[in-house]
């Protein structure tokens, strides 16, 4: 399929062919959900921790004698039933990450790109190069183009001036093609891909 190419100044720059195997799929919510869940699980820190009975600071002295007190046979006040005692079977540091096949992750990225194309939220620009790292100039261009929450995907490397200028603009993120992922693509209203980024994505997903 064909897609128009524009410049940062909103001028026309011809057309480009989009690979139907990457941008022409019927998006499936179940595939996108599984890949996003996998990404979010990898990002979860899993550092939650409670003190167990052996880690609380009470004395380990036996509370009362074993027999004859009429009370329960407690060993010390670190038991979970006492206030400030250890927590029984509480959370401990662990990884929440789970496996997802590489082929499925690649398929998820294809469906995310296809979803943006189908929704009319995919924009192809000629390049993302700036002569100067001026936020004011890039912010004016972004406003003129109507991008509010946009992800810009460039080629193998992002233009340094463009990255510096975009860093100060709220709602605009920039990634190299290798960093393109389902979660970041879906959470933005507009997906902007440079011609170099398009070639790199097609090479990565073929």
């Amino acid at each position: 399929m064909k897609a128009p190419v524009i410049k940062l100044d909103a001028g026309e720059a011809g057309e480009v062919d989009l690979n139907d195997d990457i941008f022409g799929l019927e998006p499936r919510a179940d595939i996108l959900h599984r890949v996003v869940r996998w990404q979010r699980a990898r990002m979860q820190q899993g550092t939650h921790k409670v003190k167990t009975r052996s880690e609380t600071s009470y004395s380990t002295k036996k509370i009362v004698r074993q027999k004859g007190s009429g009370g329960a046979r407690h060993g010390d006040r670190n038991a979970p039933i006492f206030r400030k005692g250890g927590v029984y079977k509480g959370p401990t540091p662990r990884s929440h990450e789970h496996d997802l096949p590489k082929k499925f992750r690649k398929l998820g990225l294809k469906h995310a790109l296809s979803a943006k194309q189908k929704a009319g939220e995919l924009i192809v620009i000629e390049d993302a190069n700036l002569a100067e790292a001026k936020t004011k100039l890039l912010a004016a261009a972004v406003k003129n183009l109507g991008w509010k929450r946009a992800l810009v995907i460039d080629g193998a490397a992002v233009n340094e001036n463009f990255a510096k200028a975009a860093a100060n603009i709220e709602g605009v993120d920039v990634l190299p093609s290798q960093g393109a992922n389902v979660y970041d693509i879906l959470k933005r209203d507009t997906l902007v891909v440079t011609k170099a980024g398009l070639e790199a994505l097609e090479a990565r997903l073929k």
Side-chain angles (χ1 to χ4, degrees), residues 133-146:
K134 295 287 186 180
T135 298
K136 184 177 181 180
L137 297 177
L138 183 57
V142 167
K143 184 178 181 180
N144 183 46
L145 290 165

Side-chain angles (χ1 to χ4, degrees), residues 27-42:
R28 280 181 50 183
D30 59 323
I31 292 176
L32 296 174
H33 175 265
R34 280 188 62 185
V35 178
V36 169
R37 184 171 170 269
W38 170 78
Q39 281 189 248
R40 299 294 287 166
R42 293 186 73 205

Side-chain angles (χ1 to χ4, degrees), residues 1 18-29 31-32 105-123 153 180-182 185-186 189 191 193 198 201-202 205:
M1 70 182 78
L18 297 180
N19 191 327
D20 288 339
D21 293 334
I22 299 174
F23 295 93
L25 302 177
E26 185 62 33
R28 280 181 50 183
I31 292 176
L32 296 174
R105 279 140 49 186
K106 184 182 287 188
L107 181 62
L109 186 53
K110 289 180 180 180
H111 277 261
L113 294 170
S114 294
K116 286 298 182 183
Q117 166 62 18
K118 186 175 182 180
E121 297 172 350
L122 174 67
I123 297 173
I153 297 178
N181 63 86
V182 175
I185 289 172
L186 294 182
D189 296 333
L191 175 62
V193 185
L198 200 60
L201 282 174
E202 290 183 350
L205 297 173

Side-chain angles (χ1 to χ4, degrees), residues 97-181:
E97 186 175 350
H98 58 268
D99 291 332
L100 193 66
K102 284 184 179 180
K103 287 184 178 180
F104 200 93
R105 279 140 49 186
K106 184 182 287 188
L107 181 62
L109 186 53
K110 289 180 180 180
H111 277 261
L113 294 170
S114 294
K116 286 298 182 183
Q117 166 62 18
K118 186 175 182 180
E121 297 172 350
L122 174 67
I123 297 173
V124 181
I125 61 173
E126 190 171 35
D127 58 55
N129 298 331
L130 289 179
E132 296 180 278
K134 295 287 186 180
T135 298
K136 184 177 181 180
L137 297 177
L138 183 57
V142 167
K143 184 178 181 180
N144 183 46
L145 290 165
W147 303 346
K148 292 185 178 179
R149 285 167 43 84
L151 172 65
V152 182
I153 297 178
D154 206 347
V158 178
N159 178 265
E160 188 176 349
N161 289 338
F162 189 92
K164 285 182 178 179
N168 298 317
I169 302 175
E170 185 179 0
V172 176
D173 287 335
V174 186
L175 288 174
S177 60
Q178 198 59 37
N181 63 86

Side-chain angles (χ1 to χ4, degrees), residues 17 31 76 78 81 88 121 159 164 184 206:
D17 286 316
I31 292 176
D76 62 73
N78 293 300
I81 68 168
Y88 177 64
E121 297 172 350
N159 178 265
K164 285 182 178 179
D184 283 328
K206 68 180 179 180

